[in-house]
Structure formats: structure tokens, C-alpha cells
Amino acid sequence: MILKDLHTHTTYCDGRDTPRDMAEAALELGMKTLGFSGHSYTFFDERYCMSKKGTELYKKEIAALKEEYKGRLNILLGIELDAYSEQSVEGFDYVIGSVHYVKVGGEYLPVDEAARFEGICRDYFGGDYLAFAEEYYRTVRTLAEKKIDIIGHIDVITKFNEGGKLFDESDPRYIEASRGAVDALLPLGIPFEVNTGAIARGYRTEPYPSASLREYILSKGGKLILSSDSHNTANLCFQFETWETKLGE
């Protein structure tokens, strides 16, 4: 049984519960390692991320919790670094590299907000979801230039595409773009996360990445790591037992 979860968010960014709340919940679950990974500061959108001041407070609180829970729970100080974030990652135990935006004409457009997704595709990509996906994966490729330890939700562009509702993930354009991003990141030698967060939030019935993309990653010698992307205590290690079995971990 996997007793480690490295992708979690707290009240320092867009999470619901405090770091202490999360640590106590982790103990109740019998977890051995809990990694905090607050969203890095993005100057163009401060709605969801840690502020500059908040980041320093976050570092101090997690350091204090590390000491307090020593011997009972291994706590790690991580950060989820957006591809367009300019924040330094010095001093963190690990870094998750993720893409939450594409940049078009100087505008930073979110790829994981339900209220805006279809409008962005219509207004900036002429309604062509595959063009939207291609731009997203071009951005994913840039993660290869960053100092990261885990690749976060690589196909989050499919968050609202359950059952092929918006576009065909078997289309050659999509396959070329998504696999091209994987190929660009494989030389880093770091794991791709299998992220159950969208299942917990009701958007998907399987984790990121899709089964076909997971198979491609593994066929190329890539590694996988389970994560919950939990924004509250209830979703720590969400469905890990189910996916641990399915993934053969």
C-alpha cells in the first residue's frame, strides 16, 4: 500500500485546509510521508497561488511541522512550479513542474478552469480544441528547461474531455503533440505523476495521464508516481489503493 502523497495544497494557496489539518489527517490514514506542494507565485494571476509573503510563511510553518512530527510523519517542503512562474525553487525539498496556462498574444490563459475553457478555445483558437491542445503541449515541453523533480498532470488539457466530449484524443494531431511532450521530458529521468485529483473533483473517471499516455510513457522507460493533488484532508491519497492495483505498482 502506498503511504506517500507529494502533491497537496493548503490554505496558503487554493487549498481548503491548513498544513496542520493535513498532517493530522495523514497520521489518521497511517501515511508515512506527506509532501506539501503549494502553487508557486505567478505575477499574472494571484487568485490561486501563494503570495510572495505567504511563500515565506509557508516555508517557516512547514519547517516547524517537520520538527514537530518527526518520528511520526515524514513531512517534506515542496512546491508546484508553473511553467510561467519566475519564482526561485531554492530551499525546497522537491519541485513539481506543471502547466496551468498557455500564453497567447501576451495573455496568460488558464487551461483548467471549467468556466473559461470553451470560451478560450472559441476566442483564441477558432474553436479548434486540437490547436488549443497543441499550444498546451508546446508549453509542457518548456518544463524540460526547469529544475523539477516530478512532472505534474501532463495532460490536464483533457480535464473537461471525459468521453471525448470536446475533442478526439486518438486524433493524430493530439497524439503527436502529447507524445512529443513526453519525449521532450523523458531525458530528465524523473517520474510523471499519476494524478487522481480530477477524479476526486468529479471531472474524470481515471487519473491523469490517460491510459494510452501512461502506456506510452512506460513503453519509453518512463516512471510513474501516484499523487492526489489534494486540496483538502478528505482527498489525501485519493483512490490510491485502486490505482496502485491497476497500475501494478
Side-chain angles (χ1 to χ4, degrees), residues 40-140:
S40 63
Y41 178 72
T42 47
F43 68 91
F44 52 86
D45 187 354
E46 299 182 349
R47 296 172 300 158
Y48 78 106
C49 63
M50 296 188 293
S51 66
K52 290 182 178 180
K53 180 179 179 180
T55 301
E56 297 309 310
L57 294 173
Y58 166 75
K59 289 179 178 179
K60 291 177 181 178
E61 180 167 358
I62 303 309
L65 290 175
K66 275 189 181 188
E67 291 302 312
E68 181 179 341
Y69 285 81
K70 186 178 293 185
R72 295 184 292 156
L73 179 66
N74 179 34
I75 290 178
L76 299 175
L77 171 66
I79 190 166
E80 185 175 9
L81 182 72
D82 183 77
Y84 285 113
S85 176
E86 299 174 352
Q87 180 172 328
S88 168
V89 296
E90 292 301 316
F92 291 95
D93 294 323
Y94 66 96
V95 180
I96 299 173
S98 299
V99 173
H100 301 94
Y101 303 86
V102 294
K103 187 178 181 183
V104 179
E107 292 189 62
Y108 297 88
L109 308 170
V111 301
D112 60 350
E113 293 184 13
R116 297 191 62 190
F117 191 81
E118 293 186 47
I120 288 171
C121 183
R122 180 188 64 243
D123 297 339
Y124 293 86
F125 297 94
D128 185 348
Y129 284 101
L130 293 174
F132 192 1
E134 286 167 340
E135 184 59 35
Y136 166 78
Y137 283 115
R138 275 192 286 271
T139 309
V140 171

Side-chain angles (χ1 to χ4, degrees), residues 32 96 127 142 155 212 238:
K32 302 299 182 185
I96 299 173
T142 68
D155 61 349
S212 61
F238 186 82

Side-chain angles (χ1 to χ4, degrees), residues 2-248:
I2 296 175
L3 300 174
K4 174 174 68 175
D5 195 346
L6 299 182
H7 194 158
T8 68
H9 298 286
T10 71
T11 48
Y12 278 102
C13 52
D14 58 350
R16 189 186 72 187
D17 297 313
T18 67
R20 183 177 295 278
D21 291 335
M22 299 289 270
E24 286 298 316
L27 284 177
E28 290 181 15
L29 287 173
M31 289 173 60
K32 302 299 182 185
T33 299
L34 172 63
F36 291 102
S37 55
H39 285 293
S40 63
Y41 178 72
T42 47
F43 68 91
F44 52 86
D45 187 354
E46 299 182 349
R47 296 172 300 158
Y48 78 106
C49 63
M50 296 188 293
S51 66
K52 290 182 178 180
K53 180 179 179 180
T55 301
E56 297 309 310
L57 294 173
Y58 166 75
K59 289 179 178 179
K60 291 177 181 178
E61 180 167 358
I62 303 309
L65 290 175
K66 275 189 181 188
E67 291 302 312
E68 181 179 341
Y69 285 81
K70 186 178 293 185
R72 295 184 292 156
L73 179 66
N74 179 34
I75 290 178
L76 299 175
L77 171 66
I79 190 166
E80 185 175 9
L81 182 72
D82 183 77
Y84 285 113
S85 176
E86 299 174 352
Q87 180 172 328
S88 168
V89 296
E90 292 301 316
F92 291 95
D93 294 323
Y94 66 96
V95 180
I96 299 173
S98 299
V99 173
H100 301 94
Y101 303 86
V102 294
K103 187 178 181 183
V104 179
E107 292 189 62
Y108 297 88
L109 308 170
V111 301
D112 60 350
E113 293 184 13
R116 297 191 62 190
F117 191 81
E118 293 186 47
I120 288 171
C121 183
R122 180 188 64 243
D123 297 339
Y124 293 86
F125 297 94
D128 185 348
Y129 284 101
L130 293 174
F132 192 1
E134 286 167 340
E135 184 59 35
Y136 166 78
Y137 283 115
R138 275 192 286 271
T139 309
V140 171
R141 286 170 175 258
T142 68
L143 291 174
E145 303 164 9
K146 292 186 174 287
K147 184 180 178 181
I148 59 176
D149 303 289
I150 298 170
I151 299 159
H153 47 57
I154 189 171
D155 61 349
V156 72
I157 193 72
T158 66
K159 182 175 182 177
F160 312 114
N161 197 46
E162 180 79 6
K165 175 185 175 183
L166 300 174
F167 58 91
D168 182 4
E169 293 175 40
S170 66
D171 187 285
R173 288 172 61 193
Y174 181 82
I175 292 173
E176 181 179 1
S178 59
R179 291 186 176 184
V182 169
D183 291 341
L185 297 174
L186 281 168
L188 297 178
I190 61 176
F192 294 76
E193 70 170 6
V194 176
N195 181 317
T196 61
I199 306 175
R201 289 186 280 280
Y203 290 111
R204 293 171 62 107
T205 55
E206 68 171 66
Y208 308 113
S210 65
S212 61
L213 206 51
R214 292 196 304 269
E215 290 170 7
Y216 182 74
I217 291 168
L218 292 173
S219 74
K220 293 292 185 176
K223 298 175 287 187
L224 302 175
I225 183 173
L226 272 170
S227 71
S228 71
D229 201 349
S230 176
H231 286 61
N232 56 51
T233 58
N235 291 335
L236 282 171
C237 295
F238 186 82
Q239 289 193 3
F240 275 20
E241 291 185 19
T242 298
W243 290 99
E244 177 185 12
T245 300
K246 289 184 177 182
L247 296 171

